[in-house]
Amino acid sequence: MTDLHLALLKDDRPVLSPEEFEARLREKGTSYHIYHPFHVRMAEGQLTEKQLRGWVANRFYYQIAIPVKDAAIMSHCPDREIRREWIQRILDHDGYEIGGIKDPGGIEAWIHLGEAVGLSRDDVTSLRYVVPAARFAVDAYINFARQQPWQEAIASSLTELFAPHIHQQRIDTWPEKYPWVKLEGLQYFKNRLTQARRDVQHGLRFTLDYFSQSRALQERALEILQFKLDVLWGLADAIMLSQCEMEMKGEKQ
């Protein structure tokens, strides 16, 4: 436990009840990137083919960062039971072949999404379309997971509370709004509907328990969740601005 966490334990303010604490965490959903202007335009079918491709290409950098972030959490976590649950997140994204069971994983599913919107595999995996600000936002998240206590890194994953809504929104709207996108490319979103709900049960359970040792720790968890929400918002900012610049320059993608 860090000196900061020891200090946060020394707080005489009354601790929020589990119900109050969870409600405060869920209230943070008002800052989720589903409300970002770029994602609002996406849901309304207002993005051009180039803009949607740009989003897929840039978000791939976030997709490949997820298992790196989770590996950082596991490398710091001394609790075997937590590691046994957490490792599933890495398998979900990196894929696996164990005992004759094979799952290509979420990263591969995102590459297929790229192909469904008209990008080549190399367009996606080469990262050639990832803009500097997007890299900066994602790298900030990885560095947080590497440098901060593993308990805080777990709390930062709680944006999963809000993820099923945005995944379902894309499943529901894209076939109508973007009929040129091949339907098989939506498999990533379909997979994450169940995976994110499962993951959040674990992450939320841990956060409600560990951070309820003091009111200051609870407030710290809320700050951490806001930080992660800001990362996702900043990533959306970077993608939207890069697409505007490309349009002004008349560039193609």
Side-chain angles (χ1 to χ4, degrees):
M1 186 175 293
T2 66
D3 291 342
L4 172 61
H5 276 215
L6 288 173
L8 291 176
L9 284 170
K10 300 175 182 178
D11 187 344
D12 295 331
R13 290 179 296 171
V15 174
L16 298 172
S17 70
E19 294 77 16
E20 291 172 324
F21 187 22
E22 181 174 347
R24 290 279 303 279
L25 289 166
R26 291 186 180 276
E27 285 173 5
K28 290 291 184 180
T30 57
S31 300
Y32 193 51
H33 62 177
I34 195 172
Y35 302 110
H36 189 281
F38 189 82
H39 287 282
V40 171
R41 291 181 61 202
M42 182 188 296
E44 294 175 348
Q46 296 181 18
L47 298 188
T48 65
E49 293 186 20
K50 182 170 65 176
Q51 289 171 332
L52 195 59
R53 291 187 188 111
W55 175 76
V56 172
N58 276 273
R59 278 280 300 195
F60 182 71
Y61 192 66
Y62 178 76
Q63 301 309 128
I64 60 177
I66 293 173
V68 176
K69 173 267 299 184
D70 289 325
I73 291 173
M74 291 184 62
S75 71
H76 294 155
C77 178
D79 191 312
R80 179 189 179 201
E81 293 306 314
I82 290 176
R83 294 198 308 268
R84 289 179 67 175
E85 284 194 75
W86 209 265
I87 197 171
Q88 185 61 54
R89 297 165 181 253
I90 297 177
L91 297 175
D92 285 344
H93 282 84
D94 280 342
Y96 60 88
E97 187 169 358
I98 303 173
I101 301 175
K102 184 176 182 180
D103 183 343
I107 290 175
E108 187 66 24
W110 195 272
I111 294 171
H112 292 323
L113 173 63
E115 293 172 333
V117 301
L119 296 168
S120 70
R121 172 178 286 267
D122 185 63
D123 285 336
V124 178
T125 60
S126 68
L127 307 180
R128 67 169 64 98
Y129 295 123
V130 180
V131 298
R135 290 177 184 267
F136 184 85
V138 174
D139 289 348
Y141 182 39
I142 295 177
N143 288 335
F144 180 89
R146 286 173 171 163
Q147 298 170 8
Q148 299 304 311
W150 60 271
Q151 298 95 333
E152 293 197 354
I154 284 181
S156 73
S157 297
L158 284 183
T159 47
E160 293 162 340
L161 282 166
F162 321 116
H165 184 192
I166 202 168
H167 294 319
Q168 188 65 61
Q169 184 186 73
R170 292 163 186 159
I171 293 168
D172 292 341
T173 62
W174 280 29
E176 176 188 354
K177 306 294 186 181
Y178 307 103
W180 51 272
V181 177
K182 297 176 182 177
L183 291 178
E184 57 266 26
L186 303 183
Q187 190 60 48
Y188 175 86
F189 306 131
K190 295 176 181 178
N191 293 343
R192 289 305 297 165
L193 283 176
T194 54
Q195 292 171 355
R197 290 189 178 103
R198 178 207 63 212
D199 291 347
V200 79
Q201 290 179 1
H202 180 214
L204 180 61
R205 184 174 70 247
F206 174 84
T207 300
L208 292 176
D209 181 39
Y210 176 82
F211 286 89
S212 290
Q213 296 178 75
S214 75
R215 179 64 177 273
L217 275 175
Q218 289 178 325
E219 296 297 334
R220 175 62 178 161
L222 291 164
E223 292 173 1
I224 292 166
L225 180 53
Q226 186 62 56
F227 158 75
K228 174 61 183 307
L229 289 163
D230 290 345
V231 165
L232 294 175
W233 196 276
L235 179 57
D237 275 346
I239 296 172
M240 181 175 70
L241 291 173
S242 70
Q243 297 303 309
C244 291
E245 289 176 1
M246 287 178 61
E247 288 179 2
M248 288 189 294
K249 295 177 181 178
E251 296 179 10
K252 295 182 178 181
Q253 186 175 84

